[in-house]
Amino acid sequence: MSSASCYTFGQYVLKASQVFIRSRLSIAFVNRKPVVPGHVLVSPIRVVHRFRDMTIEEVSDLFLVSQLVSMEIQTHHLCPSFTLSMQDGKEAGQTVHHVHVHILPRKAGDFQNNDDIYTEIEKHNDSLHLDNPGDQWRSDEEMAEEASILRKLFDKKYTQNIE
Ligand code: AMP
């Protein structure tokens, strides 16, 4: 993985320790407030606000990395299914001004009704507007530990193919 000490994620700064894949045009990183265990995000490295503003190469790379992440996480978290989602624009619930794919591992019975996950994602967005949303964020150490475990899964097999 190429090194950088931090990355811009819309209006935020991500520590490199959160990032577990860096391809030529995309990064995959752990979420500071996951909706379900293993909820991670994939973004273009370039700060692109909307999906429509991405180049063909960026779109292709973003979805190849998303596919790769879901394939490995399936084995790692022993989860048979995924919800992949993208909130493209404020009215769709996008809170970070930078394209990102949510990858959420799914298991049987994880929500009473399958589509309740979308309500949870919505509630989770609302919480970003609380007075002290940071109270709900995971520590840098916890995120770095998760990213370090995931990084090993990808370093072994794929780094050379996606760099
Ligand atoms: P959306 O509401 O679709 O824009 O999703 C934003 C996502 O980014 C949420 O899942 C947040 O928990 C996540 N997020 C925001 N800032 C950070 C950050 N600095 N590090 C990791 N995840 C973040």
Side-chain angles (χ1 to χ4, degrees):
M1 191 167 81
S2 308
S3 57
S5 60
C6 59
Y7 294 89
T8 302
F9 177 44
Q11 60 274 44
Y12 302 111
V13 174
L14 289 180
K15 294 199 167 167
S17 54
Q18 283 176 250
V19 174
F20 59 92
I21 291 184
R22 184 192 198 285
S23 70
R24 196 165 65 81
L25 298 172
S26 313
I27 49 172
F29 54 98
V30 300
N31 199 318
R32 70 181 175 187
K33 188 172 179 294
V35 170
V36 291
H39 174 188
V40 297
L41 301 166
V42 184
S43 272
I45 293 171
R46 184 170 72 95
V47 179
V48 193
H49 186 172
R50 298 293 302 271
F51 189 48
R52 63 183 175 222
D53 299 326
M54 292 176 71
T55 65
I56 291 170
E57 290 77 16
E58 284 171 332
V59 171
S60 163
D61 194 82
L62 184 80
F63 281 98
L64 283 172
V65 171
S66 300
Q67 185 192 44
L68 188 59
V69 169
S70 57
M71 278 159 54
E72 275 305 316
I73 284 185
Q74 178 158 12
T75 314
H76 179 67
H77 285 295
L78 299 178
C79 60
S81 302
F82 292 92
T83 294
L84 274 82
S85 81
M86 180 190 291
Q87 317 212 82
D88 184 33
K90 187 167 67 126
E91 291 73 12
Q94 183 180 14
T95 57
V96 178
H97 309 150
H98 191 151
V99 174
H100 50 283
V101 177
H102 293 256
I103 301 183
L104 301 117
R106 301 296 307 272
K107 291 182 177 170
D110 53 1
F111 289 90
Q112 196 173 6
N113 300 304
N114 222 342
D115 286 352
D116 286 351
I117 192 155
Y118 297 107
T119 316
E120 284 306 313
I121 293 172
E122 201 50 48
K123 279 195 211 151
H124 156 93
N125 291 339
D126 290 345
S127 73
L128 298 176
H129 304 297
L130 296 173
D131 284 345
N132 296 307
D135 292 350
Q136 304 183 340
W137 296 343
R138 299 194 296 160
S139 67
D140 288 347
E141 292 72 26
E142 189 182 343
M143 290 193 285
E145 192 181 332
E146 184 188 4
S148 138
I149 293 167
L150 294 175
R151 204 173 294 128
K152 287 188 192 115
L153 300 177
F154 297 99
D155 277 354
K156 266 193 252 158
K157 294 186 188 168
Y158 300 108
T159 309
Q160 65 193 40
N161 297 332
I162 58 173
E163 281 286 347

